[in-house]
Amino acid sequence: MQLYTDAATAPDNHQSAAGILIIDQGQQHQFKQVLPNSDNHTAEFLAAIAGFKTLLDSYGSAVSVFFYTDSQIVADSVAKGYSKHYAVELATLLHLQDQCQLVVTQWIAESENHGAHQLAQQGLHLKH
């Protein structure tokens, strides 16, 4: 199973939204979700959290997941199990990941995350 997440944040008012793309046996499942107003880094963590909540709610915990994010800080924090500025968000994310059988986190370039990015942009427009 593959999980792609991305966040979009409006620079003028900090409105944020998440794009979540789950690929299960070749089938795409698309979700967009309004997030609390935040800066972009916080929104990336919140998008990842929303992605894992959606995944666990939809498929249960008996899943192995390739998790793709274009947020370097999210990928690095997960790999290290530590974040100075986003400790609460990281703890929540790691707790959700621990409920899965296996999670492989992979940073990808923004250009490879179009599906989740488009969903996040669409989610941003839900707030207006």
Side-chain angles (χ1 to χ4, degrees):
M1 190 165 298
Q2 297 168 296
L3 170 64
Y4 294 81
T5 65
D6 196 20
T9 301
D12 55 340
N13 58 13
H14 300 286
Q15 289 182 336
S16 299
I20 301 161
L21 178 62
I22 298 172
I23 301 176
D24 176 31
Q25 299 176 2
Q27 295 280 12
Q28 283 195 19
H29 305 277
Q30 301 178 352
F31 305 88
K32 45 190 172 262
Q33 182 176 322
V34 172
L35 297 173
N37 288 8
S38 61
D39 64 86
N40 192 55
H41 289 313
T42 302
E44 290 287 357
F45 276 99
L46 296 176
I49 290 165
F52 274 93
K53 283 182 177 176
T54 301
L55 182 79
L56 290 164
D57 287 349
S58 301
Y59 297 95
S61 58
V63 292
S64 296
V65 183
F66 286 96
F67 168 50
Y68 298 97
T69 177
D70 62 15
S71 170
Q72 193 75 56
I73 193 164
V74 169
D76 289 349
S77 297
V78 167
K80 292 186 283 191
Y82 173 79
S83 175
K84 181 177 180 180
H85 299 292
Y86 306 98
V88 172
E89 293 85 358
L90 177 62
T92 302
L93 177 58
L94 292 176
H95 174 72
L96 291 166
Q97 288 187 349
D98 286 346
Q99 295 175 47
C100 300
Q101 274 190 341
L102 173 70
V103 177
V104 178
T105 300
Q106 177 72 48
W107 177 84
I108 58 173
E110 206 173 296
S111 62
E112 296 175 48
N113 204 17
H114 279 302
H117 178 78
Q118 287 298 109
L119 291 165
Q121 291 294 324
Q122 291 170 18
L124 203 54
H125 297 294
L126 294 174
K127 293 191 91 166
H128 298 295

